[in-house]
Amino acid sequence: MNGRVTLKIFFFFLLLIIIIFLVLLFGKKLNSPAKADPNDTVLYSTHGAKVRGLDPGDIGDVTSSIIASQMIECLYQYHYLKRPYQIIPCLAENMPTVSEDGLVYTIKIKKGVLFTDDKCFKDDKGRELKAGDFVFAWKRIADIKYISKNWWIFDNKITGLDEFRQYSKTCKTSADVDYNTPVEGLQTPDDWTLVIKLRRPWPQIVYMLAHLPTAPMAKEAVDYYRKDIINHPVGTGPYKLNRWHKGSYIEMVKNPTFRDEFYPSEGEANDATNGILADAGKKLPLTNRLVTVLIQEDPPQWFLFLQGKIDVSGIPKDNFSEAIDLRRQLTPEMRARNIKLLTFRDPSTYWFGFNMEDEVLGKNLPLRMALSCAVDRDKYVELFTNNRSEAAYGFIPPLMSCYNANIKNISQTSYNVQKARKLVKEAEQIYGSKLPRLVLSMPGTDIVFRQQGDFLKRCFSDAGLDVEMDYMDWPTFQNKIKTKSAQIFALGWVGDIPDAENFLQLFYSKNVSPGSNNFNYSNPEFDQIYEKAYVMSDGAERDALYKKAEEVVVKDCPAIFLTHGVAFILTHDWAMNIKPNAFAYGTSKYRRVDEAKKAAYKELLRKLK
Amino acid sequence: MNKAKEKNNVPKIKGRSYWADSLRQLRKHKLAMYSLGIIVVYILVVMFIYLANWTKIDVPFLDWNQQVGKEYERPNKQNILGTDFLGRSVLRKTIYGARVSLTVAFWASIISMSIGVPLGAAAGYFRGFIDDIVVWLYTTLSSIPYILLILAFALVLRGKTLSLHWLGLGTISLSGISTVYLAIGLTSWVGICRLIRGEVMKHKERDYILAAQSYGCGSSRIIFRHLIPNVFHLIIISFSLQFVGFIQAEVILSFLGLGEKNSPSWGAMIDAARLDLPKGYWWEMTAATAAIFIISLALNIFGDALRDSLDPKLKVQ
């Protein structure tokens, strides 16, 4: 008996050893992808953050938006090449017809657009897109039981939609919410016409109709996948999801039923010379597959890019000097690898905001100005952003059409220690005694924030100001701001749309904390201009009002406006048609890979080694 | 008379106490004495920093926040250990950093001893229900990974205030350094508690305790007058060895952003240097790690020698 058991164990281990030997011998071949198809073109990219979910109704983060935008489309999109940024039809047949009072938008939808094939549909075949799919998607966002983080888009904007939200509150369960309940402001006279009635003029709606959360949803998909819809995007886009290994990679493949869309034939003046118009008129998408690798740390992302395993990359802070020299050009090492540099302005502004309801700061303009004059923005940009930002003196970023190049002179708050000291004396007279210690809340505790704190402390103490840094985690920081208990706070804003109203609303008195006006700033003159400009359509007159509103704000100095972002992007020479876009996400359909050049890079790497 | 003379002629044998004997043995250990010298130097530096802060004496060498050169200056004659991203002297920061590290280690040791020793002694002496409670408590605590436990304590304690009115000390605001030593102290008493409990259980059966009991001594008198002095060598050894661990715990907490915020510490320096290393700025990391290495090594050597000299079992007969 014992002998038999020993023999069994012996054979078991022998088998195990043989299996291990075979795996080691042939494993590499088994794991490697099937032999590459020469016509199979693939774009490789990487993201550092997690993909939280691909349900457009509830998407809020940038990484998920970028991934989902390759598969899901909206009524409108941004022209890929034209600048300033221009909205063009996507699922809509043309631009909306707007009634004279600016309250009714009629939008015709393209006929014959199909949802991608999916098992949620009858016979697994995607059906045609209808106007009702938009109404369903927007009612879904309004449905309180769904708890979408995107309700802010429609809040108090569309006639009857807020009432639908109220109605959904009265339902016991989410299954009880009847989506057939009519909403006056969302009507579909026929399957290809969508009529939107607004409560008050809202010219920015066109930008919102190019924003992913407003994409259509097929009711079949929501009913079939239920909560799992976040893992099963069903759209009309150029790609469809093939594989998604959570936290590892996402693979998307060409959608065979994608409608006819072609590469633009017009762009900016230098696009033709840059070769970006070479594919004009070609059917989109230009690449068969998209592979997105999800890596949270900077160093592996950077090494994958240098090895040519990723086509496009940002530049990690630590590797900046390796890639970019002091003249803001590529280093010889990068040029030797045929890497190209693209820079573009972010629609972002960062600041140290003042709580205008604070007793010390709110009533003391010289003190606020002194604080602003004390900060050496150029040094800050050099130390903390690798010179990847521009000093800011107002809140409207330079890429906006209403940017005021003279805002620095208007604000009178450039770095000047002598002036700051004088202003401190004035501030002390107003306060009545020596100024108390001020507290600047930082939204993080890590070393980067602490280094920034050390730098700022020095700037302020040079000007004779005593400012203490209070480092805290993000939820505590948010809570402090929402309860108006932060005195000075480090924050910023990245524009969602190319309309500066997005920034202006941050200073509107009706939006004070817990709303988006974290400064708790209130100025009737500003409010008047904002209310006038808000309902106006895009144009020179509105731009002038925006500029005027910004002037009013910077003269009141409710913040130390610090920087505007500038993005640096590196691309390999085989990644074609790369033109950065500050607002659009679904741009992979325009991009192409030159496989011959890509193959040459492997040779180049061998030589460089 | 003669007898008396004889008595006087008997050479007196001077007795040596246990402590004196141990010290004599320790003094023979040269390396341990050098290590003690290093530890004393560190302690004197920290005491000087506290004295200078308290008396508000302007000592330029302790003004760590002063710009002494350009940003990221390599070590040179003016700045022996180079400068950091704001042109501040790395040497000054390293010296000033000793204040946080040693203060944290000292107070954390005191806190952990003052929890661990009485609890261990009580558990070992009374046994029964009290022993069950204490053992349950330290088993539960020790089953949680140490770093996670410290982190949890540090996060919970941060920003809170500690009322010590009943001690006549007022209110202490828990921020930065005090959070760190409280978190470390409150989570690190398990080892000493376990050690003391075992030792007390052993001593409880000895004759001198039975004698004390038969004289009618109370439990607290027996514990504090008889038992603890007899296991005191363990407390000293444990103190010296834990000290090193606490310096390292402070470094980890500062590295994770939960340490001292407004003045340099070795942990914060290492954290800052982490970002600078890829750019080739190695001197801040080197300075902080060297400072930790030297004090850790000195404490370890001294702690080992102390154990050799104090532990009766290890004494060479």
Side-chain angles (χ1 to χ4, degrees), chain A residues 412-472:
Chain A
Q412 294 289 314
T413 52
S414 315
Y415 174 57
N416 186 338
V417 180
Q418 299 305 325
K419 188 179 171 184
R421 284 193 185 138
K422 263 188 204 170
L423 285 162
V424 168
K425 280 182 187 153
E426 275 181 51
E428 279 175 343
Q429 278 179 353
I430 293 172
Y431 184 69
S433 63
K434 198 178 180 315
L435 290 164
R437 172 176 279 188
L438 302 169
V439 181
L440 196 161
S441 301
M442 291 291 229
T445 57
D446 68 23
I447 191 65
V448 177
F449 286 106
R450 273 182 281 151
Q451 284 188 341
Q452 287 178 6
D454 283 357
F455 168 77
L456 290 165
K457 222 188 244 178
R458 171 172 294 174
C459 286
F460 293 132
S461 74
D462 284 351
L465 288 155
D466 183 12
V467 182
E468 185 194 350
M469 302 295 142
D470 190 8
Y471 306 94
M472 60 198 79

Side-chain angles (χ1 to χ4, degrees), chain B residues 30-40 295 297-303:
Chain B
K30 274 194 176 174
L31 199 58
M33 287 295 106
Y34 291 135
S35 300
L36 181 64
I38 291 170
I39 296 163
V40 169
I295 183 77
L297 190 68
L299 280 165
N300 266 315
I301 293 171
F302 184 69

Side-chain angles (χ1 to χ4, degrees), chain A residues 440-446 449-450 469-482 486 489-491, chain B residues 151-152 154-160 256-258 261:
Chain A
L440 196 161
S441 301
M442 291 291 229
T445 57
D446 68 23
F449 286 106
R450 273 182 281 151
M469 302 295 142
D470 190 8
Y471 306 94
M472 60 198 79
D473 51 57
W474 179 248
T476 314
F477 179 80
Q478 283 278 16
N479 187 42
K480 265 201 142 182
I481 294 212
K482 294 297 168 203
F489 50 91
L491 209 58
Chain B
L151 275 178
L155 277 169
V156 168
L157 291 171
R158 199 172 56 180
K160 303 273 189 311
L256 295 170
L258 292 166
K261 289 164 189 168

